[in-house]
Amino acid sequence: MTGVFMLLQRVLLPVALALAGATLAQAEPIRISVLMHVTLPGEGEATLRSALESAHLRSPAFIVVNGLKEASEPCSDRLFRRRKAVLEAADTPVFLSMAGSDWISCRDLRGRPAESIWLGLLREQLYGDISWNGSKHLSLRRQSALPAFRSYAENTRWTTQQVMFATLHLPAPNNHYLAAAGRNSEFEDRLTANRDWIKRLAQHASLERPKAIVLFCDGRLWPAVRLQPGMRDGFREMRSAIQAFADTVRRPVLLVQGPAGTEPSGIEWRRKLAHVNLPQGVNDLEIDTDAVVPFALPGADNGSGPAQ
């Protein structure tokens, strides 16, 4: 019996150690970089390239880029092709989060508002072929795979190390809600698409059972901005939808929002939902699903964690 025991020990111990090592590897925190509006007028490609290189040196699992151009920059095919070429050359997997500055200020040759036309061109040019970006390394799913929402290629999701990540097209300012009568068809159609996307994220969370979920958007849903009398809150519906989503999936959810100030706002918690406003520039984010506070920003107040 002693010989059999020693034989089993020699056979099983390495297996147990290998399994323990695999468990430890899976428990490693995920470190990512988020680039918030890093381009500067007149030198957009240079500043974008520099920010990507800076993020790459930090060895993130991937990079999320929010904002490819500043609102003051002119909209042109050439500009978007140049910015896309910079993303294609990145050494780290890159995912895009659509920003309002990418398209809301676009005008036609006569100077008339043409944001919806440029939004369509931007979707086609940047999202028509996504083989260059993070999908080479991680399986990327797009809302545009659904026939009813074929236009919304910018709403994407991917999963790694039992954490689900997703982008939501919620642009600043005010979710592109326009007070002018008859000009909100884009807002209303995108609201319908975003509601459906949140619903589908909840369905996939129920099937995949991720340990945490991170959402990226350009607009600032929290804290709610005090509006002047008569003004309409363009984020009202999505604020309710995202809070309900977090309450439904019953897992920690982090909403990464667009820039505000020069420092991270700190992570604030609302039951299972956390939100943070990241400043302009290169930001680091760590997700540790084994920690009491699963989301962390270096040097910021990360809050007390989700309500149990």
Side-chain angles (χ1 to χ4, degrees):
M1 289 295 291
T2 301
V4 172
F5 176 78
M6 293 181 65
L7 177 62
L8 288 173
Q9 188 178 46
R10 286 199 300 271
V11 172
L12 295 178
L13 184 59
V15 175
L17 290 173
L19 290 173
T23 301
L24 288 174
Q26 291 176 352
E28 281 292 310
I30 303 173
R31 295 178 179 86
I32 68 173
S33 292
V34 183
L35 274 55
M36 279 289 179
H37 292 266
V38 296
T39 58
L40 295 175
E43 48 184 319
E45 287 77 49
T47 53
L48 177 58
R49 186 179 298 107
S50 176
L52 287 167
E53 291 172 352
S54 175
H56 174 70
L57 293 175
R58 307 178 193 202
S59 301
F62 56 83
I63 299 169
V64 175
V65 176
N66 184 82
L68 280 182
K69 80 172 194 68
E70 289 303 297
S72 60
E73 293 183 287
C75 302
S76 70
D77 287 334
R78 183 184 178 192
L79 181 144
F80 289 124
R81 283 198 300 270
R82 292 200 308 258
R83 303 289 159 88
K84 181 181 178 182
V86 174
L87 298 178
E88 289 175 336
D91 295 318
T92 303
V94 175
F95 296 93
L96 286 178
S97 173
M98 183 83 81
S101 62
D102 292 336
W103 61 278
I104 286 178
S105 61
C106 291
R107 298 188 172 265
D108 64 15
L109 295 176
R110 295 183 180 180
R112 297 172 300 188
E115 61 268 31
S116 294
I117 295 173
W118 275 101
L119 176 57
L121 293 172
L122 187 59
R123 284 166 168 160
E124 180 181 340
Q125 193 164 104
L126 286 176
Y127 294 91
D129 174 18
I130 59 169
S131 61
W132 55 268
N133 69 5
S135 63
K136 292 189 297 186
H137 306 270
L138 297 168
S139 180
L140 187 69
R141 298 289 182 266
R142 298 186 290 176
Q143 189 177 20
S144 58
L146 304 168
F149 301 102
R150 192 161 290 159
S151 298
Y152 296 89
E154 69 272 21
N155 282 346
T156 59
R157 69 174 176 87
W158 64 99
T159 301
T160 181
Q161 293 179 234
Q162 293 185 281
V163 178
M164 178 187 289
F165 298 89
T167 58
L168 280 165
H169 189 184
L170 298 169
N174 202 32
N175 205 15
H176 192 229
Y177 177 83
L178 302 175
R183 290 198 57 199
N184 272 308
S185 59
E186 187 283 325
F187 166 84
E188 292 165 358
D189 291 345
R190 184 166 41 78
L191 176 59
T192 299
N194 280 329
R195 280 171 161 168
D196 179 83
W197 189 233
I198 284 287
K199 177 181 176 182
R200 292 182 186 278
L201 291 178
Q203 292 172 347
H204 287 292
S206 177
L207 293 172
E208 298 176 12
R209 302 188 65 80
K211 292 184 176 181
I213 300 170
V214 181
L215 308 174
F216 302 93
C217 72
D218 180 52
R220 284 169 273 170
L221 283 71
W222 279 282
V225 177
R226 185 183 297 274
L227 300 173
Q228 296 179 359
M231 291 186 65
R232 203 264 205 207
D233 182 358
F235 292 119
R236 182 181 62 202
E237 293 88 351
M238 289 308 300
R239 195 179 292 115
S240 298
I242 292 172
Q243 183 65 67
F245 166 76
D247 293 339
T248 299
V249 298
R250 305 182 68 83
R251 288 165 178 76
V253 176
L254 174 65
L255 178 65
V256 179
Q257 306 179 122
T262 59
E263 299 293 334
S265 63
I267 296 177
E268 298 183 24
W269 289 87
R270 301 168 60 89
R271 301 188 293 277
K272 293 290 185 181
L273 175 65
H275 64 85
V276 64
N277 292 51
L278 295 183
Q280 184 176 10
V282 181
N283 297 272
D284 297 322
L285 174 64
E286 183 174 290
I287 303 100
D288 185 353
T289 56
D290 292 328
V292 174
V293 182
F295 311 119
L297 296 165
D301 179 4
N302 298 309
S304 57
Q308 299 302 316

